[in-house]
Amino acid sequence: MSSSLAIPSSPAAPSGSLTVALAGNPNSGKTTIFNALTGLRQKVANYPGVTVEKKTGRFRLDGGRWVQVIDLPGTYSLVSRSPDELVAMEVLRGLRPDTPAPDVVVVVVDASNLQRNLYLVSQLIELGRPLVVALNMVDIAERRGIHVSAEALEAELGVPVVPVVGHKRRGIAELRSAIARARVAPMPDWPLPPPMKQELAAIGGAIDSLAAAPAQGPRAGANAQTVAERLLIGDAVGDVAHLAMRPPVAALVSAARQRLQNAGIDPMQADIEAHYRWIEDVARKATASVDELAAMGVAAPVDDFTSRPPALARPRPLSDRIDAVLVHKFWGLLIFALIMGSLFVALFWLADPIMTAIEDAVGAVGGQVAALLPAGPLSDLVNDGIFAGVGAVIVFVPQIALLFLFLAILEDSGYLARAAFLMDRLLAKVGLHGKSFIPLLSSFACAIPGILATRTIEDRRDRLATIFVAPFMSCSARLPVYTLLIGLFFAGHGALVQAAIMLGLYTLGIVAAAATAWVFKRSLLKGPTSAFILEMPSYKVPQAGEVLRQVWLNTREFITRAGTIIFCLSVVLWAISYYPRMPAEREAQIAAQVAATAEQSAAGEPADAASADVDALIQRAIRSAQGEYSIAGRFGHALEPLIRPLGYDWKMGVGLIGAFAAREVFISTMSIIYSVQDSEDDTTNLRWAMREDRYADGRPVWTPLVGVSLLVWFVLAMQCMSTLAVVRRETGGWRWPLAMLLYMNALAYLVCLGIYQVGARVLG
């Protein structure tokens, strides 16, 4: 048993702070514990040079010392196969110059899956850094009839072990205190085959003679045999890569592998088996079933919200009975479809009154602010540019927040992993991997985190196929456009019909993704689909605090984008639609023409009403003419011959160009072009303005057929610069993002062309 160590501050850490790395297996509850430790003191960025997310936070120890916590990507071992695992390994070994080497490692262990989680612990012990074990999910282990003794486990490991229930924040205060008591665990005597031990001793001696063993924490200088073990099993990366090429060591490792192979020993397999024999011994001493405790006359802890059945008649676990339905090949798919359908109904039904209130508030505030300014360009900028542009997007925040809420609940409850298992059967038919499901589902919120999530897919072909089809998933940026157009043409059909149309759009994106994946996996990305192995997380009641935190972070990101990117674009769009100004003579000519036409058709109406109608008609005609006369109008007219076969006019063309920066900018573009914030009157509503828009011959610009064509365009087209930039970073060049841009937009153009041209002929 090793004694406590004074923990030094990392040279790269802020002065006086302690750097703690939070490690653990996927689905061990690591991120829940990170949130419980740090609260709202969190920052999210990317590790420089890679697209792996870097999440950090901080908290104070009782003595007032700040602790910087790094939430590492989930990993099963320190032998990296994916970008996530590589980053976790590099941070834990202190190999990243952009991240301080951890002073303490807190490893989160799932008590209900103790042996599997202890494999990572065994590798962290070899690392030689002060260690604390957070024994999480002890409540779930108890419900399964398993009692893990934290005291016995601490005695076996030689480091502090703290039982916690992360989602209830139990044991978090004790975990914070244990960080100050972190110790370096004693090195176990792994039960390796004697021939392998002899080879390791020889290789370790050569490393010692070279004085070349890399520093790995307080045990630095005494870890030559651990380094030898890594080299022998083929883990020659990072800090030991140079040793693998040194002639004395390289020759010894090569000869040792040959001798072990002749003896029928696979070094990697032997190493894993030795670790698991040690793990089995540790788990046996630290774990007892409820029946064993009862036989010894020991009362096992009883969870405060679960009544345990008698030991001799324990039924089939509830989670297994639920899984029998939720992952059933028929009922599971039906339930999944019902859940998704309910989600879309709720997006309309629950969000509508909130959206109406926000729309009214934005209009009122915009009118009041504009009234304080003198008439002229500044007033028009505030009213028609800023409030019309940004306000038209902010109004959709309730729907977007609801989407994030439902996804967070599904993930926190443990259902998403079941859905991934369920969808693997379908994904395999089009050549995708089961691990593609979570990235694709994440893309419904935003394609960027969805594409970043593909880094958990080991096979490059499967990863590229998932990246290529992820933008077909209808992200939250499309939601405002869908809502606007569905509301414009189907407002009188009720929430169920609108939800069905919305579901149809999402389904179209899924079908397009499946068809594209099928084609690419049989051509450019041809290759066998690797096996799908997934750990099912335990079911649990979603923690309100965690769910709301995720909703807030994601919604805040959207609002921030509306307040920065969309704000800037709105100002630019307003400027190019406002300038150059139409000559006064042209305005007078338009006013005279409209007045003459209105006078002929206003016979018999009250003079005041007729005058008000004429003034409104004149103002609308002048705005329309000014729009065409502006830079945006001229650009739109230049683009119109290309998009006219799709049913689009020049205004829609300007909107589509603006949407390339961010899809939701289409809404703000339309609001600016139609000047819907001219007054607080309801007649300035964007949908009303679009519905009333006419060509010179009196035909409506916006028809249901145009709406369908435009909806399909937004489902299929690639219109997101940020997504293309992320794809370039993920794939290492412009080949794939340019192919994505050309393919998706060509597909959208051809499909929309067919819809409009066939529809126009059928409808006459």
Side-chain angles (χ1 to χ4, degrees):
M1 186 76 66
S2 63
S3 59
S4 298
L5 294 178
I7 304 171
S9 295
S10 168
S15 177
S17 69
L18 189 70
T19 300
V20 172
L22 197 61
N25 288 184
N27 298 317
S28 62
K30 176 176 59 63
T31 299
T32 301
I33 290 178
F34 172 77
N35 291 333
L37 283 171
T38 61
L40 297 176
R41 299 187 183 96
Q42 299 179 12
K43 291 191 299 182
V44 179
N46 279 353
Y47 287 93
V50 294
T51 53
V52 177
E53 184 181 85
K54 181 178 184 179
K55 185 182 290 185
T56 59
R58 61 178 185 155
F59 67 89
R60 282 186 186 273
L61 293 174
D62 291 340
R65 190 179 185 186
W66 279 106
V67 175
Q68 305 289 333
V69 185
I70 306 170
D71 184 17
L72 296 175
T75 182
Y76 290 105
S77 78
L78 296 185
V79 180
S80 57
R81 294 186 301 165
S82 68
D84 267 7
E85 293 172 333
L86 178 62
V87 164
M89 180 273 291
E90 290 177 339
V91 172
L92 287 167
R93 290 194 168 127
L95 303 179
R96 292 198 65 89
D98 51 72
T99 305
D103 302 311
V104 175
V105 177
V106 175
V107 56
V108 180
V109 170
D110 179 358
S112 63
N113 292 287
L114 184 63
Q115 290 195 28
R116 188 206 64 234
N117 280 243
L118 283 178
Y119 184 72
L120 178 61
V121 174
S122 70
Q123 292 188 315
L124 291 173
I125 288 174
E126 291 180 322
L127 202 60
R129 295 192 184 281
L131 194 64
V132 174
V133 174
L135 189 64
N136 194 27
M137 302 186 188
V138 291
D139 56 333
I140 294 173
E142 295 291 342
R143 289 205 301 271
R144 294 179 179 176
I146 302 170
H147 173 63
V148 181
S149 169
E151 294 80 6
L153 189 59
E154 181 169 328
E156 291 299 317
L157 299 179
V159 298
V161 177
V162 182
V164 297
V165 180
H167 68 281
K168 291 187 173 183
R169 297 179 179 267
R170 290 183 188 169
I172 299 301
E174 292 80 0
L175 180 60
R176 288 177 174 173
S177 300
I179 290 174
R181 299 184 286 106
R183 298 193 293 266
V184 177
M187 178 67 77
D189 182 15
W190 308 117
L192 293 165
M196 188 168 171
K197 285 189 174 182
Q198 294 173 6
E199 301 290 356
L200 289 175
I203 298 171
I207 293 173
D208 269 338
S209 66
L210 294 172
Q216 295 194 104
R219 197 157 42 221
N223 63 343
Q225 192 152 331
T226 298
V227 174
E229 181 184 354
R230 289 178 57 192
L231 295 176
L232 193 59
I233 67 175
D235 183 21
V237 297
D239 51 342
V240 298
H242 67 289
L243 280 175
M245 297 182 290
R246 296 283 289 272
V249 176
L252 282 173
V253 170
S254 178
R257 286 177 180 165
Q258 185 62 51
R259 285 191 291 269
L260 291 173
Q261 183 180 354
N262 294 337
I265 298 173
D266 179 352
M268 173 66 83
Q269 186 65 29
D271 180 75
I272 294 174
E273 290 176 356
H275 278 246
Y276 269 103
R277 280 197 293 271
W278 174 82
I279 288 168
E280 288 172 1
D281 183 58
V282 170
R284 178 178 54 80
K285 294 176 181 178
T287 307
S289 69
V290 174
D291 295 344
E292 291 170 336
L293 291 173
M296 293 185 293
V298 178
V302 179
D303 191 76
D304 62 357
F305 59 87
T306 305
S307 58
R308 188 178 292 107
L312 297 179
R314 186 165 288 110
R316 184 183 180 189
L318 177 61
S319 61
D320 290 351
R321 284 177 279 160
I322 296 174
D323 282 343
V325 178
L326 290 185
V327 299
H328 189 272
K329 61 182 179 181
F330 173 75
W331 296 113
L333 287 173
L334 180 61
I335 292 171
F336 180 74
L338 290 174
I339 289 174
M340 292 296 104
S342 300
L343 187 154
F344 296 125
V345 171
L347 287 180
F348 281 97
W349 180 56
L350 294 177
D352 186 65
I354 307 175
M355 292 172 63
T356 301
I358 293 177
E359 189 174 16
D360 293 341
V362 170
V365 172
Q368 291 177 2
V369 172
L372 299 176
L373 300 172
L378 180 60
S379 176
D380 291 342
L381 169 62
V382 171
N383 202 35
D384 299 337
I386 297 173
F387 278 93
V390 178
V393 177
I394 292 295
V395 72
F396 295 100
V397 166
Q399 282 188 323
I400 291 168
L402 281 173
L403 177 63
F404 289 134
L405 173 66
F406 293 137
L407 291 178
I409 290 173
L410 293 176
E411 181 176 12
D412 205 41
S413 66
Y415 177 74
L416 279 190
R418 273 78 182 176
F421 176 79
L422 188 68
M423 296 302 292
D424 177 57
R425 302 164 186 164
L426 299 178
L427 292 172
K429 296 182 185 301
V430 298
L432 290 177
H433 194 275
K435 284 188 176 180
S436 300
F437 174 74
I438 298 299
L440 293 179
L441 188 65
S442 300
S443 297
F444 282 114
C446 179
I448 292 173
I451 290 170
L452 298 181
T454 62
R455 59 181 181 257
T456 61
I457 302 174
E458 290 85 4
D459 186 85
R460 178 172 171 79
R461 288 186 298 266
D462 291 336
R463 187 168 180 239
L464 284 173
T466 307
I467 288 173
F468 203 85
V469 302
F472 281 115
M473 303 298 107
S474 289
C475 62
S476 59
R478 291 176 169 105
L479 190 57
V481 181
Y482 292 169
T483 304
L484 173 72
L485 297 177
I486 291 173
L488 177 63
F489 300 112
F490 305 99
H493 293 77
L496 285 177
V497 172
Q498 294 182 58
I501 297 170
M502 181 78 77
L503 182 60
L505 296 173
Y506 278 73
T507 303
L508 175 61
I510 294 170
V511 171
T516 298
W518 187 88
V519 170
F520 277 83
K521 284 294 287 182
R522 283 158 179 78
S523 54
L524 293 177
L525 301 174
K526 188 175 183 179
T529 302
S530 54
F532 177 46
I533 301 174
L534 176 70
E535 176 193 353
M536 294 291 190
S538 303
Y539 286 109
K540 65 177 185 290
V541 177
Q543 186 182 0
E546 294 301 318
V547 169
L548 293 177
R549 181 181 285 108
Q550 290 301 314
V551 173
W552 164 242
L553 291 175
N554 289 317
T555 306
R556 182 182 65 182
E557 182 179 353
F558 178 84
I559 295 173
T560 302
R561 184 169 56 183
T564 54
I565 297 175
I566 298 176
F567 172 83
C568 296
L569 288 173
S570 294
V571 172
V572 172
L573 289 168
W574 171 85
I576 65 175
S577 63
Y578 191 83
Y579 294 106
R581 301 303 294 170
M582 193 167 54
E585 298 80 10
R586 177 57 180 157
E587 288 191 17
Q589 184 181 5
I590 292 173
Q593 291 174 349
V594 172
T597 303
E599 186 177 352
Q600 295 176 1
S601 60
E605 291 188 12
D608 291 343
S611 176
D613 290 342
V614 171
D615 290 341
L617 289 171
I618 290 173
Q619 291 302 317
R620 190 168 67 185
I622 291 175
R623 283 199 303 269
S624 178
Q626 172 59 43
E628 293 190 53
Y629 189 80
S630 67
I631 296 172
R634 297 175 190 185
F635 184 79
H637 279 293
L639 184 65
E640 194 170 31
L642 180 64
I643 61 176
R644 171 62 66 191
L646 309 182
Y648 310 156
D649 75 337
W650 67 270
K651 304 182 195 69
M652 300 176 205
V654 176
L656 293 180
I657 296 299
F660 186 72
R663 290 182 178 94
E664 61 269 42
V665 173
F666 179 83
I667 307 297
S668 58
T669 305
M670 293 296 100
S671 300
I672 291 168
I673 289 176
Y674 283 105
S675 301
V676 296
Q677 291 290 333
D678 276 352
S679 70
E680 298 177 28
D681 191 84
D682 288 341
T683 59
T684 59
N685 179 271
L686 178 57
R687 290 193 184 99
W688 180 92
M690 294 165 67
R691 193 177 294 117
E692 293 297 313
D693 196 12
R694 295 288 188 273
Y695 289 111
D697 59 5
R699 291 180 298 115
V701 172
W702 296 86
T703 65
L705 184 57
V706 171
V708 171
S709 175
L710 200 54
L711 283 169
V712 172
W713 174 272
F714 272 95
V715 171
L716 300 178
M718 164 49 65
Q719 290 183 272
C720 183
M721 289 189 298
S722 300
T723 298
L724 291 175
V726 169
V727 173
R728 188 198 67 79
R729 289 186 60 187
E730 286 290 305
T731 59
W734 281 106
R735 175 190 173 191
W736 286 103
L738 289 177
M740 179 184 291
L741 177 67
L742 294 173
Y743 171 76
M744 292 183 66
N745 286 347
L747 177 65
Y749 190 92
L750 292 175
V751 173
C752 292
L753 179 67
I755 289 173
Y756 185 77
Q757 293 299 325
V758 172
R761 284 168 174 75
V762 170
L763 298 176

